[in-house]
């Protein structure tokens, strides 16, 4: 049933974080710093894994895919948020909003699938070490990564298609920094219960399905580790899982809070704060977690830095001779 209303909305307005220009400028610089650090950190991981032959293993292949997702994941929302800090009001057209919605949730789903695949990788390495090269051969890893990306971009396609057919004619203000599902539904002048049900079903199945698979993998891993006779072997085996487990806890926890429950009963300000964690902070934490807790990555980073220094020295010597 359509609501009584007047003119159809053609663009949305993002509600500002604060009415104070000074705070808006502070937020701009803060999130710009976080965004740049996230881009540099994830790009470094992709570069290190690509250049260092010692890291051409299934685990680092999937870490590289995860960092690739994070590069695009933050770019879908953060640049627009930064522009909104400097403009008044921050607007986005309805088609662009739905496009942002699609790509944001496509990349979010892709990250879930990749994290779940990484849990399977840890299960195979610890619980099935003799079969590990066969279970996760380069060809198999390529297929698994391709399936993760394909399914990630396929799942939100139908809800996005339904959303594109929706009319908007109520208030055009979005109390968020990106086009989140709950905010768009509230602005519709048509009945969106069917679209909300489809979106909720998709998000619940994807999030809980990947969570169950991840937990099942770690249950097997835990049982195998506890069965090891040597304490040193147990510590070594568990240390290979801590980085992934940390990322999974942060990412799954915030997504479950946001999307695996009825959204309309919760305050948008709380949603906005939680969304900052999984869409802005988590992409920054991932490269830190995987580098600070990983000797192989730190060693590869040192090698890359030394190569860059050797590359720069000849050019410096040439310039000195010229002068």
């Amino acid at each position: 049933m359509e609501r009584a209303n007047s003119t159809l909305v053609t663009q949305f307005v993002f509600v500002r974080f604060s009415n104070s220009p000074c705070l808006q400028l502070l937020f701009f610089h803060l999130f710009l710093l976080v965004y740049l650090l996230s881009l540099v950190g994830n790009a470094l991981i992709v570069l290190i894994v690509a250049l260092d032959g010692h890291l051409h293993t299934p685990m680092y292949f999937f870490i590289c895919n995860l960092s690739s997702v994070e590069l695009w994941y933050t770019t879908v929302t953060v640049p627009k948020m930064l522009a909104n800090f400097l403009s008044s009001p921050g607007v986005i057209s309805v088609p662009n909003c739905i496009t942002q919605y699609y790509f944001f949730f496509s990349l979010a789903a892709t990250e879930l699938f990749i994290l779940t695949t990484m849990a399977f990788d840890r299960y195979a390495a610890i619980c099935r070490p003799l079969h590990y090269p066969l279970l996760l051969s380069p060809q198999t890893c390529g297929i698994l990564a391709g399936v993760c990306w394909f399914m990630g971009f396929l799942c939100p396609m139908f809800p996005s298609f339904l959303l594109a057919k929706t009319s908007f004619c109520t208030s055009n203000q979005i109390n968020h920094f990106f086009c989140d599902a709950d905010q768009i539904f509230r602005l519709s002048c048509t009945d969106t219960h069917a679209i909300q049900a489809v979106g909720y079903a998709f998000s619940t199945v994807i999030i809980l399905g990947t969570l169950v698979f991840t937990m099942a993998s770690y249950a097997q891993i835990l049982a195998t580790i506890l069965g090891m006779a040597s304490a040193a072997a147990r510590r070594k085996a568990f240390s290979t899982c801590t980085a992934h487990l940390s990322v999974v806890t942060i990412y799954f926890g915030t997504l479950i809070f946001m999307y695996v429950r009825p959204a309309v009963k919760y305050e948008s300000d709380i949603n906005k704060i939680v969304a900052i964690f999984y869409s802005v902070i988590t992409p920054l934490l991932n490269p830190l977690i995987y580098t600070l807790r990983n000797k192989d990555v730190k060693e590869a980073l040192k090698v890359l830095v030394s190569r860059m220094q050797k590359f720069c020295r000849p050019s410096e010597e040439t310039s000195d001779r010229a002068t």
Side-chain angles (χ1 to χ4, degrees):
M1 178 181 294
E2 298 195 3
R3 300 175 188 169
N5 173 320
S6 51
T7 312
L8 291 177
V9 171
T10 59
Q11 64 181 18
F12 299 128
V13 178
F14 291 104
V15 176
R16 297 165 70 89
F17 275 62
S18 170
N19 291 323
S20 169
C22 292
L23 282 178
Q24 286 288 103
L25 193 60
L26 176 64
F27 288 143
F28 170 80
H29 287 101
L30 176 62
F31 285 109
L32 176 62
L33 177 63
V34 172
Y35 177 56
L36 292 177
L37 289 175
S38 177
L39 288 182
V40 171
N42 285 292
L44 266 178
I45 287 184
V46 173
L47 185 63
I48 289 170
V49 173
L51 295 179
D52 196 306
H54 297 93
L55 301 183
H56 291 175
T57 63
M59 182 176 74
Y60 293 110
F61 173 76
F62 291 119
I63 289 175
C64 182
N65 273 268
L66 181 65
S67 291
S68 299
V69 172
E70 300 288 25
L71 286 170
W72 294 108
Y73 190 45
T74 54
T75 303
V76 168
T77 57
V78 177
K80 182 62 180 175
M81 177 177 65
L82 293 174
N84 292 339
F85 284 133
L86 301 179
S87 62
S88 180
V91 298
I92 186 171
S93 67
V94 171
N96 287 344
C97 187
I98 295 173
T99 301
Q100 187 188 62
Y101 166 91
Y102 169 72
F103 280 103
F104 179 82
F105 286 102
S106 294
L107 291 164
T110 302
E111 182 161 350
L112 285 173
F113 292 135
I114 290 176
L115 287 172
T116 304
T117 305
M118 291 171 72
F120 173 72
D121 168 72
R122 291 299 83 208
Y123 158 78
I126 294 173
C127 303
R128 306 281 297 278
L130 297 179
H131 299 89
Y132 183 67
L134 180 62
L135 289 173
L136 286 163
S137 64
Q139 294 80 6
T140 303
C141 290
I143 292 172
L144 288 174
V147 170
C148 289
W149 284 88
F150 176 76
M151 291 301 298
F153 278 80
L154 178 65
C155 290
M157 192 172 290
F158 184 57
S160 300
F161 174 76
L162 295 178
L163 196 59
K165 292 183 169 294
T166 303
S167 299
F168 303 94
C169 52
T170 61
S171 169
N172 68 338
Q173 291 193 336
I174 294 180
N175 188 15
H176 217 304
F177 60 89
F178 71 93
C179 294
D180 197 11
D182 178 44
Q183 291 296 312
I184 301 176
F185 293 145
R186 293 184 184 187
L187 303 179
S188 172
C189 58
T190 54
D191 188 355
T192 60
H193 285 89
I195 305 176
Q196 291 186 62
V198 171
Y200 181 76
F202 269 91
S203 61
T204 301
V205 169
I206 292 171
I207 295 173
L208 293 185
T210 51
L211 177 63
V212 168
F213 190 94
T214 302
M215 291 178 65
S217 297
Y218 272 104
Q220 292 288 331
I221 290 170
L222 183 61
T224 302
I225 291 176
L226 292 177
M228 293 178 178
S230 169
R234 289 196 296 269
R235 283 194 300 270
K236 183 178 179 181
F238 187 73
S239 66
T240 64
C241 303
T242 52
H244 177 257
L245 201 53
S246 301
V247 173
V248 164
T249 302
I250 297 170
Y251 193 64
F252 274 88
T254 51
L255 285 185
I256 289 172
F257 177 84
M258 284 292 295
Y259 299 110
V260 188
R261 44 83 167 160
V264 293
K265 296 181 180 179
Y266 294 81
E267 292 295 330
S268 296
D269 290 337
I270 298 176
N271 290 353
K272 193 186 299 186
I273 294 171
V274 176
I276 288 173
F277 277 93
Y278 67 79
S279 63
V280 181
I281 304 300
T282 302
L284 172 64
L285 293 178
N286 286 354
L288 293 176
I289 291 172
Y290 282 114
T291 54
L292 294 178
R293 302 181 65 94
N294 193 303
K295 293 181 180 179
D296 294 333
V297 175
K298 286 191 285 187
E299 288 298 322
L301 181 59
K302 291 178 182 178
V303 171
L304 179 63
V305 171
S306 65
R307 286 180 181 177
M308 292 178 64
Q309 289 175 341
K310 290 179 181 178
F311 178 79
C312 294
R313 280 171 187 167
S315 60
E316 291 175 358
E317 292 174 0
T318 304
S319 63
D320 290 340
R321 291 172 185 173
T323 55

